[in-house]
Structures are given as C-alpha cells and as structure tokens.
Amino acid sequence: MKRIAVLLLLFVSQFTFAQDKVAVFDMDGTLISEEPAYAMAIFAKEYGQNQIETVNDLVNELKALTKNPRYDKMLKSFMKTDPIKVYPQMMDVVDSLKAEGYKLVICTGSEVRFAKAVNKKYFNNKFDVVIGSEFRAEKLKPTNSSINDKEGKIDNLKSNGITPTIVYGNSHGDFPMMKWVGNGVLVIHDDKASGEYDKPEQYIKECNELGFKTIKISDWNLSENPSWKTK
C-alpha cells in the first residue's frame, strides 16, 4: 500500500488543487477485466433473446433488456454468479485516493444501472458518482448521446458538474477525457499470467507524446525505478 501511495503522489504532486480532488476511472479494462468479453456483453448474451455479433447488435439487445421490467432482477441474478474479475492493483489505487480525500467517479460505456450494480457488489460503493450509457430512449434528451464514450464522456461529466483532477483509462476511448483534463494515466493490463492481451503500442506512444503516465500491471511489483514512475 505504501508503494501505491508513493506512486499516486508522483502522478499528482505536480498539480495544485484549487478545488475538490476528483479521480475519474473508466471501468471495463481499467477496474475490471474485459476478458473473455466485456461484462456488459456477457450479461446481454446471457439474458438477451437475439444473437450478438456486432456492436450494433449489442446496443439493440441492451435497449430491449433495459425496457424489461425485470431488468433489475436480471442484474441481481447475474451478479450472484460472480462473473466479474476485479483488478486488485487498481483497488489499491482506489483505496489510496479515497484515503487522500479524492472524490471517486466511474465514467464508463457500460449501461448506467449495470455499472452501479458493479459499484455496489464489487467496489462496496466506494465510487461517489457512477456515469454510464443510457439505453432507455425515454430517459434521453435530444442533445445527449446514449453511448458514454470518447467526447461523450466529457459531455456527461460536465452535465454532472464534474471536472476531474486525474483520469484513469485503458483505451483510446478514454483519451478525450485525459486530454481535456491534461492529467491522464493509461492502465495496461497485459500480464501474461492473467490472460490479458497486449494493448496497442500506439496508445503508449501517444501517452508519451501527451505527457500522460502509464501503469503496466505486469511491472507492478518492480521496486527499482520502474518505467511507469517517470515521464
């Protein structure tokens, strides 16, 4: 835990906080595993009625599921099967930030009620705010996108009155948030023992060009000047 606290201070010590400290996390691939598939996709395949082969298929199935009056019961049943793998290293980060007085936010492409259920079961409601995609058409305003991704994440953070201090993500879909804030951390879950796949090298290259940090989970236990401790 001490190593995590030192790491976090290295990430944020160069910033002066004139307001509340806010850490925003992507969820899938950052806090929880995307293998063998997104948790939301596994849920949709288990409870949906149609075959899912494309992103559009997934969105359409989620639209149908979220209209089902039994949706919340489906979520409870799904969570009871304990289908989600949480990255313990990232929970160390979350706990350290919480102890330092950060407000914690999940900003994810997963459906918002699904993400809130994950926060409750797996994160013990440590996150103060959960922002996700909204697939129920009656809940959408004409100017809002239903998918919480890329620039849409910024719009939804702004609409919730949230200006992050630091952003943690694992893919290019999180880069707009990182660029907006100017303080991003790319989380790379490529430990072969865990079965995670390598992240595209261009993500790391772009992080270096933008001055963002990277956390490589397979190097997490290195104690002597690991590369992710320096710019």
Side-chain angles (χ1 to χ4, degrees):
M1 181 65 73
K2 184 177 180 181
R3 185 185 298 119
I4 299 297
V6 171
L7 173 61
L8 291 169
L9 287 174
L10 284 167
F11 282 162
V12 301
S13 61
Q14 61 185 338
F15 294 86
T16 301
F17 304 108
Q19 55 184 344
D20 290 337
K21 297 182 289 186
V22 181
V24 173
F25 289 78
D26 170 57
M27 188 173 76
D28 297 276
T30 301
L31 296 170
I32 63 175
S33 178
E34 294 177 340
E35 290 292 310
Y38 286 104
M40 188 86 249
I42 296 172
F43 171 78
K45 288 181 179 180
E46 183 169 338
Y47 289 90
Q49 301 298 316
N50 301 296
Q51 188 171 356
I52 299 174
E53 296 181 351
T54 67
V55 173
N56 285 337
D57 291 342
L58 175 59
V59 170
N60 289 333
E61 198 63 50
L62 290 171
K63 285 180 180 179
L65 282 170
T66 53
K67 290 179 182 178
N68 191 316
R70 296 186 62 255
Y71 182 71
D72 290 334
K73 291 183 178 180
M74 293 177 188
L75 283 180
K76 288 182 181 179
S77 296
F78 181 70
M79 294 299 168
K80 285 181 181 178
T81 66
D82 206 25
I84 293 172
K85 170 189 171 184
V86 176
Y87 293 117
Q89 299 95 333
M90 294 308 296
M91 289 301 97
D92 287 343
V93 173
V94 168
D95 289 340
S96 293
L97 288 170
K98 193 80 170 178
E100 291 180 20
Y102 277 79
K103 292 185 177 178
L104 303 180
V105 179
I106 289 176
C107 193
T108 176
S110 287
E111 192 270 333
V112 62
R113 286 184 287 170
F114 184 91
K116 287 180 177 179
V118 174
N119 183 38
K120 181 179 180 180
K121 176 177 173 62
Y122 290 94
F123 307 145
N124 197 27
N125 285 325
K126 291 176 181 178
F127 288 87
D128 303 289
V129 179
V130 177
I131 300 171
S133 295
E134 179 60 77
F135 296 105
R136 293 174 291 176
E138 68 275 12
K139 295 286 185 179
L140 300 177
K141 297 178 181 179
T143 57
N144 287 346
S145 170
S146 63
I147 307 298
N148 187 47
D149 192 27
K150 298 180 180 177
E151 285 77 11
K153 289 189 172 185
I154 299 175
D155 293 338
N156 287 324
L157 287 168
K158 287 181 177 179
S159 68
N160 281 273
I162 297 171
T163 302
T165 303
I166 189 168
V167 173
Y168 292 83
N170 77 306
S171 73
H172 214 255
D174 302 311
F175 271 33
M177 285 194 298
M178 295 180 182
K179 292 177 181 178
W180 172 47
V181 176
N183 188 17
V185 180
L186 181 71
V187 182
I188 308 166
H189 296 290
D190 65 350
D191 188 345
K192 302 305 181 185
S194 71
E196 287 296 328
Y197 49 84
D198 289 332
K199 298 302 179 184
E201 289 299 320
Q202 65 265 28
Y203 291 0
I204 301 173
K205 180 176 181 292
E206 188 169 349
C207 276
N208 291 335
E209 292 172 350
L210 293 169
F212 299 155
K213 302 295 189 295
T214 59
I215 297 176
K216 192 173 183 181
I217 296 300
S218 59
D219 290 343
W220 197 268
N221 292 324
L222 295 181
S223 58
E224 297 297 327
N225 299 318
S227 60
W228 41 263
K229 278 192 176 182
T230 60
K231 184 174 179 179

CSV table of all heavy atoms in Angstrom, one decimal, residues 2-37:
chain,number,residue,atom,x,y,z
A,2,LYS,N,2.0,1.2,0.7
A,2,LYS,CA,2.9,2.4,0.8
A,2,LYS,C,3.4,2.7,-0.6
A,2,LYS,O,3.5,3.9,-1.0
A,2,LYS,CB,4.1,2.1,1.7
A,2,LYS,CG,5.0,3.3,1.9
A,2,LYS,CD,6.1,3.0,2.9
A,2,LYS,CE,7.0,4.2,3.1
A,2,LYS,NZ,8.1,3.9,4.0
A,3,ARG,N,3.8,1.6,-1.4
A,3,ARG,CA,4.3,1.8,-2.8
A,3,ARG,C,3.2,2.5,-3.6
A,3,ARG,O,3.5,3.4,-4.4
A,3,ARG,CB,4.7,0.5,-3.4
A,3,ARG,CG,5.3,0.7,-4.8
A,3,ARG,CD,5.6,-0.7,-5.4
A,3,ARG,NE,6.6,-1.4,-4.6
A,3,ARG,CZ,6.3,-2.6,-4.0
A,3,ARG,NH1,5.1,-3.1,-4.2
A,3,ARG,NH2,7.2,-3.2,-3.3
A,4,ILE,N,1.9,2.1,-3.5
A,4,ILE,CA,0.9,2.7,-4.2
A,4,ILE,C,0.7,4.2,-3.9
A,4,ILE,O,0.5,5.0,-4.8
A,4,ILE,CB,-0.5,2.0,-3.9
A,4,ILE,CG1,-0.4,0.5,-4.3
A,4,ILE,CG2,-1.6,2.6,-4.7
A,4,ILE,CD1,-0.2,0.3,-5.8
A,5,ALA,N,0.8,4.5,-2.6
A,5,ALA,CA,0.6,5.9,-2.2
A,5,ALA,C,1.7,6.8,-2.8
A,5,ALA,O,1.5,7.9,-3.2
A,5,ALA,CB,0.7,6.0,-0.7
A,6,VAL,N,3.0,6.2,-2.8
A,6,VAL,CA,4.1,7.0,-3.4
A,6,VAL,C,3.9,7.2,-4.9
A,6,VAL,O,4.1,8.3,-5.4
A,6,VAL,CB,5.4,6.2,-3.1
A,6,VAL,CG1,6.6,6.9,-3.9
A,6,VAL,CG2,5.8,6.2,-1.6
A,7,LEU,N,3.4,6.1,-5.5
A,7,LEU,CA,3.1,6.2,-7.0
A,7,LEU,C,2.1,7.3,-7.3
A,7,LEU,O,2.2,8.1,-8.2
A,7,LEU,CB,2.6,4.9,-7.5
A,7,LEU,CG,2.1,4.8,-8.9
A,7,LEU,CD1,3.2,5.2,-9.9
A,7,LEU,CD2,1.6,3.4,-9.2
A,8,LEU,N,1.0,7.3,-6.5
A,8,LEU,CA,0.0,8.3,-6.7
A,8,LEU,C,0.5,9.7,-6.5
A,8,LEU,O,0.1,10.6,-7.2
A,8,LEU,CB,-1.2,8.0,-5.7
A,8,LEU,CG,-2.0,6.7,-6.1
A,8,LEU,CD1,-2.9,6.4,-4.9
A,8,LEU,CD2,-2.7,6.9,-7.3
A,9,LEU,N,1.3,9.9,-5.5
A,9,LEU,CA,1.9,11.2,-5.2
A,9,LEU,C,2.7,11.7,-6.4
A,9,LEU,O,2.7,12.8,-6.8
A,9,LEU,CB,2.7,11.2,-3.9
A,9,LEU,CG,1.9,11.2,-2.6
A,9,LEU,CD1,2.9,11.0,-1.5
A,9,LEU,CD2,1.1,12.4,-2.5
A,10,LEU,N,3.5,10.7,-7.0
A,10,LEU,CA,4.3,11.1,-8.2
A,10,LEU,C,3.4,11.5,-9.3
A,10,LEU,O,3.7,12.4,-10.1
A,10,LEU,CB,5.1,9.8,-8.6
A,10,LEU,CG,6.3,9.6,-7.7
A,10,LEU,CD1,6.9,8.2,-8.1
A,10,LEU,CD2,7.4,10.6,-8.0
A,11,PHE,N,2.2,10.9,-9.5
A,11,PHE,CA,1.3,11.2,-10.5
A,11,PHE,C,0.7,12.6,-10.3
A,11,PHE,O,0.5,13.4,-11.3
A,11,PHE,CB,0.1,10.2,-10.6
A,11,PHE,CG,0.5,8.9,-11.2
A,11,PHE,CD1,-0.3,7.8,-11.0
A,11,PHE,CD2,1.6,8.8,-12.1
A,11,PHE,CE1,0.0,6.6,-11.7
A,11,PHE,CE2,1.9,7.6,-12.7
A,11,PHE,CZ,1.1,6.5,-12.5
A,12,VAL,N,0.4,13.0,-9.1
A,12,VAL,CA,-0.4,14.2,-8.9
A,12,VAL,C,0.3,15.3,-8.2
A,12,VAL,O,-0.2,16.4,-8.1
A,12,VAL,CB,-1.7,13.9,-8.1
A,12,VAL,CG1,-2.5,12.8,-8.8
A,12,VAL,CG2,-1.4,13.4,-6.7
A,13,SER,N,1.5,15.1,-7.8
A,13,SER,CA,2.2,16.1,-7.0
A,13,SER,C,2.5,17.4,-7.8
A,13,SER,O,2.7,18.5,-7.2
A,13,SER,CB,3.5,15.6,-6.4
A,13,SER,OG,4.4,15.2,-7.4
A,14,GLN,N,2.6,17.3,-9.1
A,14,GLN,CA,2.9,18.5,-9.9
A,14,GLN,C,1.7,19.4,-10.1
A,14,GLN,O,1.8,20.5,-10.6
A,14,GLN,CB,3.4,18.0,-11.3
A,14,GLN,CG,2.4,17.2,-12.1
A,14,GLN,CD,3.0,16.7,-13.3
A,14,GLN,OE1,3.9,17.2,-13.9
A,14,GLN,NE2,2.4,15.7,-13.9
A,15,PHE,N,0.5,19.0,-9.6
A,15,PHE,CA,-0.7,19.8,-9.8
A,15,PHE,C,-1.1,20.5,-8.5
A,15,PHE,O,-1.0,19.9,-7.4
A,15,PHE,CB,-1.8,18.9,-10.3
A,15,PHE,CG,-1.6,18.4,-11.7
A,15,PHE,CD1,-0.9,17.2,-11.8
A,15,PHE,CD2,-2.0,19.1,-12.8
A,15,PHE,CE1,-0.6,16.7,-13.1
A,15,PHE,CE2,-1.8,18.6,-14.0
A,15,PHE,CZ,-1.1,17.4,-14.2
A,16,THR,N,-1.6,21.7,-8.6
A,16,THR,CA,-2.1,22.4,-7.5
A,16,THR,C,-3.6,22.4,-7.5
A,16,THR,O,-4.2,22.7,-8.5
A,16,THR,CB,-1.7,23.9,-7.5
A,16,THR,OG1,-0.3,24.0,-7.5
A,16,THR,CG2,-2.2,24.7,-6.3
A,17,PHE,N,-4.2,21.9,-6.4
A,17,PHE,CA,-5.7,21.7,-6.4
A,17,PHE,C,-6.3,22.9,-5.8
A,17,PHE,O,-6.2,23.1,-4.6
A,17,PHE,CB,-6.0,20.4,-5.6
A,17,PHE,CG,-5.3,19.2,-6.2
A,17,PHE,CD1,-4.3,18.6,-5.5
A,17,PHE,CD2,-5.7,18.7,-7.4
A,17,PHE,CE1,-3.6,17.5,-6.0
A,17,PHE,CE2,-5.0,17.6,-7.9
A,17,PHE,CZ,-4.0,17.0,-7.2
A,18,ALA,N,-7.1,23.7,-6.6
A,18,ALA,CA,-7.8,24.8,-6.1
A,18,ALA,C,-9.2,24.4,-5.7
A,18,ALA,O,-10.0,25.2,-5.2
A,18,ALA,CB,-7.8,25.9,-7.1
A,19,GLN,N,-9.6,23.2,-6.0
A,19,GLN,CA,-11.0,22.7,-5.7
A,19,GLN,C,-10.9,21.3,-5.3
A,19,GLN,O,-9.8,20.8,-5.0
A,19,GLN,CB,-11.9,22.9,-6.9
A,19,GLN,CG,-11.4,22.2,-8.2
A,19,GLN,CD,-12.2,22.5,-9.4
A,19,GLN,OE1,-13.4,22.9,-9.2
A,19,GLN,NE2,-11.7,22.2,-10.5
A,20,ASP,N,-12.0,20.7,-5.1
A,20,ASP,CA,-12.0,19.3,-4.7
A,20,ASP,C,-11.2,18.4,-5.6
A,20,ASP,O,-11.2,18.6,-6.8
A,20,ASP,CB,-13.5,18.7,-4.7
A,20,ASP,CG,-14.3,19.3,-3.5
A,20,ASP,OD1,-13.7,19.8,-2.6
A,20,ASP,OD2,-15.5,19.4,-3.6
A,21,LYS,N,-10.5,17.4,-5.1
A,21,LYS,CA,-9.7,16.5,-5.9
A,21,LYS,C,-10.7,15.4,-6.4
A,21,LYS,O,-11.3,14.7,-5.6
A,21,LYS,CB,-8.6,15.9,-5.1
A,21,LYS,CG,-7.6,16.9,-4.6
A,21,LYS,CD,-6.4,16.3,-3.8
A,21,LYS,CE,-6.9,15.8,-2.5
A,21,LYS,NZ,-5.7,15.4,-1.7
A,22,VAL,N,-10.7,15.2,-7.7
A,22,VAL,CA,-11.6,14.2,-8.3
A,22,VAL,C,-10.9,13.3,-9.2
A,22,VAL,O,-10.2,13.7,-10.1
A,22,VAL,CB,-12.7,15.0,-9.1
A,22,VAL,CG1,-13.7,13.9,-9.7
A,22,VAL,CG2,-13.5,16.0,-8.2
A,23,ALA,N,-11.0,12.0,-8.9
A,23,ALA,CA,-10.3,11.0,-9.8
A,23,ALA,C,-11.4,10.2,-10.5
A,23,ALA,O,-12.4,9.7,-9.9
A,23,ALA,CB,-9.5,10.0,-8.9
A,24,VAL,N,-11.3,10.2,-11.9
A,24,VAL,CA,-12.3,9.6,-12.7
A,24,VAL,C,-11.7,8.3,-13.3
A,24,VAL,O,-10.6,8.4,-13.8
A,24,VAL,CB,-12.8,10.5,-13.8
A,24,VAL,CG1,-13.7,9.8,-14.8
A,24,VAL,CG2,-13.5,11.7,-13.3
A,25,PHE,N,-12.4,7.2,-13.2
A,25,PHE,CA,-12.0,5.9,-13.7
A,25,PHE,C,-12.9,5.4,-14.8
A,25,PHE,O,-14.2,5.4,-14.6
A,25,PHE,CB,-12.0,4.9,-12.6
A,25,PHE,CG,-10.9,5.1,-11.6
A,25,PHE,CD1,-11.0,6.1,-10.6
A,25,PHE,CD2,-9.7,4.3,-11.6
A,25,PHE,CE1,-10.0,6.2,-9.6
A,25,PHE,CE2,-8.7,4.5,-10.6
A,25,PHE,CZ,-8.9,5.4,-9.7
A,26,ASP,N,-12.4,5.0,-15.9
A,26,ASP,CA,-13.1,4.1,-16.8
A,26,ASP,C,-13.3,2.8,-16.0
A,26,ASP,O,-12.6,2.5,-15.1
A,26,ASP,CB,-12.3,3.9,-18.1
A,26,ASP,CG,-12.9,2.8,-19.0
A,26,ASP,OD1,-14.0,2.8,-19.4
A,26,ASP,OD2,-12.1,1.8,-19.2
A,27,MET,N,-14.3,1.9,-16.4
A,27,MET,CA,-14.5,0.7,-15.7
A,27,MET,C,-14.0,-0.5,-16.4
A,27,MET,O,-13.0,-1.2,-15.9
A,27,MET,CB,-16.0,0.5,-15.4
A,27,MET,CG,-16.3,-0.6,-14.5
A,27,MET,SD,-18.1,-0.7,-14.0
A,27,MET,CE,-18.8,-1.4,-15.5
A,28,ASP,N,-14.5,-0.8,-17.6
A,28,ASP,CA,-14.1,-2.1,-18.3
A,28,ASP,C,-12.7,-2.0,-18.8
A,28,ASP,O,-12.4,-1.1,-19.6
A,28,ASP,CB,-15.1,-2.3,-19.5
A,28,ASP,CG,-16.5,-2.5,-19.0
A,28,ASP,OD1,-16.8,-3.7,-18.6
A,28,ASP,OD2,-17.3,-1.6,-19.0
A,29,GLY,N,-11.9,-2.9,-18.4
A,29,GLY,CA,-10.5,-2.9,-18.8
A,29,GLY,C,-9.6,-2.0,-18.0
A,29,GLY,O,-8.4,-2.1,-18.1
A,30,THR,N,-10.2,-1.2,-17.1
A,30,THR,CA,-9.4,-0.4,-16.2
A,30,THR,C,-9.5,-0.9,-14.8
A,30,THR,O,-8.5,-1.2,-14.1
A,30,THR,CB,-9.9,1.1,-16.3
A,30,THR,OG1,-9.7,1.5,-17.6
A,30,THR,CG2,-9.0,1.9,-15.3
A,31,LEU,N,-10.8,-1.0,-14.3
A,31,LEU,CA,-11.0,-1.6,-13.0
A,31,LEU,C,-11.4,-3.0,-13.0
A,31,LEU,O,-11.1,-3.8,-12.0
A,31,LEU,CB,-12.2,-0.8,-12.3
A,31,LEU,CG,-12.0,0.7,-12.1
A,31,LEU,CD1,-13.3,1.4,-11.7
A,31,LEU,CD2,-10.9,0.9,-11.0
A,32,ILE,N,-12.0,-3.5,-14.1
A,32,ILE,CA,-12.4,-4.9,-14.2
A,32,ILE,C,-12.0,-5.4,-15.5
A,32,ILE,O,-11.8,-4.7,-16.5
A,32,ILE,CB,-14.0,-5.1,-14.0
A,32,ILE,CG1,-14.7,-4.4,-15.2
A,32,ILE,CG2,-14.4,-4.6,-12.7
A,32,ILE,CD1,-16.2,-4.6,-15.1
A,33,SER,N,-11.8,-6.7,-15.6
A,33,SER,CA,-11.3,-7.4,-16.8
A,33,SER,C,-12.3,-7.3,-18.0
A,33,SER,O,-13.5,-7.4,-17.8
A,33,SER,CB,-10.9,-8.8,-16.5
A,33,SER,OG,-10.5,-9.5,-17.7
A,34,GLU,N,-11.8,-7.2,-19.2
A,34,GLU,CA,-12.5,-7.3,-20.4
A,34,GLU,C,-12.5,-8.7,-21.0
A,34,GLU,O,-13.1,-9.0,-22.0
A,34,GLU,CB,-12.0,-6.3,-21.5
A,34,GLU,CG,-12.1,-4.9,-21.1
A,34,GLU,CD,-11.5,-4.0,-22.2
A,34,GLU,OE1,-10.6,-4.5,-22.9
A,34,GLU,OE2,-11.9,-2.8,-22.2
A,35,GLU,N,-11.8,-9.6,-20.3
A,35,GLU,CA,-11.7,-11.0,-20.8
A,35,GLU,C,-12.6,-11.9,-20.1
A,35,GLU,O,-12.8,-11.8,-18.8
A,35,GLU,CB,-10.2,-11.4,-20.6
A,35,GLU,CG,-9.3,-10.7,-21.6
A,35,GLU,CD,-9.5,-11.1,-23.0
A,35,GLU,OE1,-9.5,-12.3,-23.3
A,35,GLU,OE2,-9.6,-10.2,-23.8
A,36,PRO,N,-13.3,-12.8,-20.8
A,36,PRO,CA,-13.2,-13.1,-22.2
A,36,PRO,C,-14.0,-12.1,-23.1
A,36,PRO,O,-13.9,-12.1,-24.3
A,36,PRO,CB,-13.8,-14.5,-22.3
A,36,PRO,CG,-14.8,-14.6,-21.2
A,36,PRO,CD,-14.2,-13.8,-20.1
A,37,ALA,N,-14.8,-11.2,-22.4
A,37,ALA,CA,-15.5,-10.2,-23.1
A,37,ALA,C,-15.9,-9.2,-22.1
A,37,ALA,O,-15.8,-9.3,-20.9
A,37,ALA,CB,-16.8,-10.8,-23.8
